[in-house]
């Protein structure tokens, strides 16, 4: 038996499991705010956190939960920076190599989804955002959770956080930003390794105590 191949396969499986857990943790935290409603025109806990009350907050909601899930430093690196402006967030993903045009990309759970909804500003390429919570390729549907929206399709100035769904080829979907999950994955794998080493170095008495 090739022990190197066996070891590599085990590491790959562990990495895949950690990646899945990282993304699931993120989506679970996003869903904690499902139904959250702003307190007055664009006044939210997300705007308060970033000192930007009264501003559109769909992007701040995403940044806030990313930061809540992975810490400020990791979150900032994973998405290229924080911004209340979707154009800036798109640019941030482009800088870190995480931007994907919708025309030639299949979205993944945890991706940040970007829309261009009706606007008089013809310079805009995107103006609303959320996060992909699931994808059904058989039905051709992408499921999302979004802030600053409502039950109405194409609403980027609503008052709540809501889960929504769209056809994958919906014309308003312009692209997806994939966070650099490897940053958080590495931290968690390092912690797992450190915990394993600690267990191995424990004395028999320590191991017995841990079982009591």
């Amino acid at each position: 038996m090739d022990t190197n191949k066996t070891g590599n396969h085990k590491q790959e499986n562990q990495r895949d499991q950690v990646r899945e857990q990282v993304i699931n943790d993120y989506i679970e935290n996003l869903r904690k705010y499902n139904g959250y409603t702003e307190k007055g025109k664009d006044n939210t806990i997300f705007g308060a956190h970033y000192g930007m009350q009264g501003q559109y907050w769909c992007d701040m909601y995403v940044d806030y939960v990313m930061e809540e899930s992975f810490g400020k430093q990791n979150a900032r690196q994973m998405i290229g920076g924080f911004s209340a402006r979707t154009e800036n967030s798109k640019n941030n993903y482009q800088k870190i190599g995480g931007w994907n045009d919708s025309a030639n990309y299949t979205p993944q759970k945890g991706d940040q989804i970007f829309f261009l909804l009706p606007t008089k500003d013809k310079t805009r390429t995107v103006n609303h955002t959320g996060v992909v919570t699931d994808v059904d390729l058989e039905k051709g549907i992408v499921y999302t959770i979004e802030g600053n929206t409502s039950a109405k399709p194409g609403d980027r100035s609503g008052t709540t956080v809501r889960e929504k769904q769209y056809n994958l080829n919906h014309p308003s979907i312009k692209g997806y930003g994939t966070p650099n999950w490897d940053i958080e994955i590495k931290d968690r794998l390092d912690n797992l390794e450190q915990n394993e080493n600690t267990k191995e170095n424990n004395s028999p008495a320590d191991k017995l105590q841990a079982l009591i």
Side-chain angles (χ1 to χ4, degrees):
M1 175 182 280
D2 190 329
T3 56
N4 285 335
K5 286 185 178 180
T6 303
N8 289 339
H9 185 64
K10 182 178 179 181
Q11 288 178 349
E12 288 174 6
N13 284 343
Q14 186 180 47
R15 188 177 188 83
D16 289 343
Q17 290 172 3
V18 171
R19 177 187 173 87
E20 183 177 7
Q21 188 60 57
V22 166
I23 295 172
N24 286 342
D25 287 349
Y26 178 44
I27 291 173
E28 182 179 342
N29 286 336
L30 286 159
R31 283 179 165 151
K32 286 195 311 186
Y33 298 97
N34 191 27
Y36 175 86
T37 302
E38 62 186 36
K39 316 303 180 186
K41 180 59 177 171
D42 291 323
N43 285 335
T44 65
I45 58 173
F46 318 116
H49 180 71
Y50 292 109
M52 300 186 72
Q53 288 288 41
Q55 304 294 318
Y56 287 127
W57 51 276
C58 59
D59 212 338
M60 287 190 281
Y61 162 60
V62 174
D63 292 352
Y64 181 94
V65 179
M66 177 66 70
E67 184 178 341
E68 181 181 60
S69 301
F70 309 119
K72 188 172 184 177
Q73 181 176 341
N74 275 11
R76 187 188 296 277
Q77 293 177 342
M78 289 164 71
I79 59 177
F82 302 137
S83 177
R85 184 173 168 83
T86 52
E87 290 282 358
N88 291 344
S89 292
K90 174 186 173 181
N91 291 338
N92 287 338
Y93 278 112
Q94 289 174 328
K95 289 176 183 176
I96 65 172
W99 176 257
N100 307 279
D101 289 324
S102 59
N104 49 18
Y105 176 73
T106 301
Q108 308 294 316
K109 283 176 63 174
D111 281 351
Q112 188 168 347
I113 184 171
F114 289 84
F115 304 86
L116 180 61
L117 302 174
T119 175
K120 294 179 181 179
D121 186 351
K122 301 306 179 185
T123 66
R124 299 298 294 269
T125 63
V126 293
N127 58 10
H128 181 62
T129 193
V131 175
V132 175
T133 58
D134 206 354
V135 181
D136 190 326
L137 295 179
E138 187 174 327
K139 294 181 180 178
I141 294 175
V142 57
Y143 298 89
T144 69
I145 189 163
E146 305 162 31
N148 218 162
T149 191
S150 70
K152 292 194 311 182
D155 186 2
R156 67 184 182 95
S157 58
T159 62
T160 65
V161 174
R162 295 185 68 94
E163 297 204 51
K164 306 178 84 166
Q165 65 182 65
Y166 306 85
N167 290 330
L168 280 167
N169 60 357
H170 195 285
S172 70
I173 301 174
K174 297 304 176 184
Y176 302 88
T178 301
N180 185 354
W181 301 116
D182 287 344
I183 292 171
E184 178 67 19
I185 291 169
K186 180 181 183 303
D187 278 1
R188 295 199 185 189
L189 287 173
D190 287 347
N191 287 336
L192 283 172
E193 184 178 0
Q194 186 175 13
N195 289 339
E196 287 299 319
N197 290 338
T198 300
K199 289 178 183 178
E200 290 176 6
N201 292 330
N202 281 345
S203 67
D206 290 333
K207 292 178 180 178
L208 178 61
Q209 185 63 38
L211 295 173
I212 298 174

